[in-house]
DNA sequence: CTTAGTGTACTATTACAAATAGTACACTAA
DNA sequence: TTAGTGTACTATTTGTAATAGTACACTAAG
């Protein structure tokens, strides 16, 4: 399920965080579900347990997962709403990127087409 | 003209590169124009000359500027076209971001509105 | 020619964050 | 009791960015 890119400039622990957030939003993992153990995932990904723990601490801090000593880590009930709200802040990034493309001479129509494309992908899913 | 953010996660030399690229696209600097000297800019920004040189080497490598030993650094004639083409690759990022926002529940109409907003900003400029 | 100002190249060092290594402790469930 | 959890901690390694300092070749102005 998880996969990491050692060549990427984004830290491994951050890749884990991003991927798990994606899984939650895509509902590949649901509230209450248990996620892989720190040691288990570190073996699967051939990383150090501390790297996984750093990712899980971050997710716990944000309220996405709930860690229970001796039992494991579980997706919280309101993980999805937290993430959705968090992603809304990306609308600013969206506009920033739009400005860059405008500057590069990309016509408005092109962007509109791309949006249609992405939103129609979803209907087929 | 240039400014750097020491707190940013993006390296200083990369901030320089990005800003100069922006200036070219915005035509604040034009082909043939001379840009600040390595030592001059390092003084202005209170950075090490090597940091500026790293940025300039990168820009030279990409064909954005042309360095002439003993004279200075100048914007190349086709800097803008190189940058425009380079930015086109960002359409992929645009779609990726659109997918994220779709996943977070942002309605298509919101994104379309934002695009209109950005493109109308430009008309006023 | 001299001088000041350019870009360029190089080595050494510092600073910082990510990642690794290893250990230890407390808890839970079988 | 035992195996599997999360957690905490220190020490170390690694890679990159940035700094520090020096040196060289070139150009233009005097």
């Amino acid at each position: 399920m998880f996969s990491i890119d050692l060549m990427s400039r984004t830290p491994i622990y951050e890749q884990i965080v991003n991927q798990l957030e994606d899984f939650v939003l895509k509902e590949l993992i649901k509230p209450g579900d248990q996620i892989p153990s720190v040691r288990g995932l570190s073996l699967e990904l051939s990383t150090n347990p501390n790297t996984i723990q750093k990712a899980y601490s971050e997710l716990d801090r944000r309220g996405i997962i709930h860690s229970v000593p001796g039992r494991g880590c579980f997706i919280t009930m309101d993980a999805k709403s937290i993430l959705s709200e968090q992603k809304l802040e990306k609308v600013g990034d969206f506009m920033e990127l739009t400005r860059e493309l405008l500057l590069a001479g990309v016509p408005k129509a092109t962007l509109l087409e791309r949006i249609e494309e992405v939103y129609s992908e979803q209907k087929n899913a």
Side-chain angles (χ1 to χ4, degrees), chain A:
Chain A
M1 199 158 191
F2 288 91
S3 69
I4 56 175
D5 177 9
L6 295 176
M7 295 304 130
S8 170
R9 280 223 289 183
T10 63
I12 297 178
Y13 78 91
E14 210 169 302
Q15 292 183 41
I16 305 285
V17 169
N18 292 337
Q19 281 182 49
L20 188 129
E21 289 180 347
D22 236 48
F23 294 155
V24 170
L25 281 172
K26 287 177 180 165
E27 296 187 349
L28 297 176
I29 316 183
K30 298 191 195 314
D33 282 359
Q34 182 167 11
I35 64 177
S37 73
V38 171
R39 292 172 179 78
L41 189 54
S42 78
L43 283 176
E44 186 184 328
L45 299 180
S46 304
T47 61
N48 191 281
N50 295 333
T51 303
I52 306 297
Q53 196 203 340
K54 186 167 184 182
Y56 282 10
S57 314
E58 177 65 15
L59 288 163
D60 186 287
R61 192 186 63 77
R62 291 199 211 164
I64 311 300
I65 68 174
H66 178 51
S67 298
V68 186
R71 293 202 49 213
C73 294
F74 306 86
I75 307 292
T76 59
M77 288 309 155
D78 36 40
K80 197 173 176 184
S81 66
I82 292 176
L83 287 175
S84 288
E85 190 148 349
Q86 181 180 307
K87 292 282 184 182
L88 287 192
E89 298 163 10
K90 289 215 170 184
V91 173
D93 298 346
F94 177 85
M95 292 179 70
E96 185 56 37
L97 189 49
T98 301
R99 281 194 196 90
E100 276 189 52
L101 292 172
L102 162 59
L103 213 52
V106 177
K108 186 168 68 176
T110 302
L111 299 187
L112 298 183
E113 282 168 21
R114 298 308 187 192
I115 290 186
E116 293 297 339
E117 191 178 334
V118 170
Y119 273 77
S120 62
E121 281 171 9
Q122 188 62 5
K123 280 181 182 165
N124 302 335

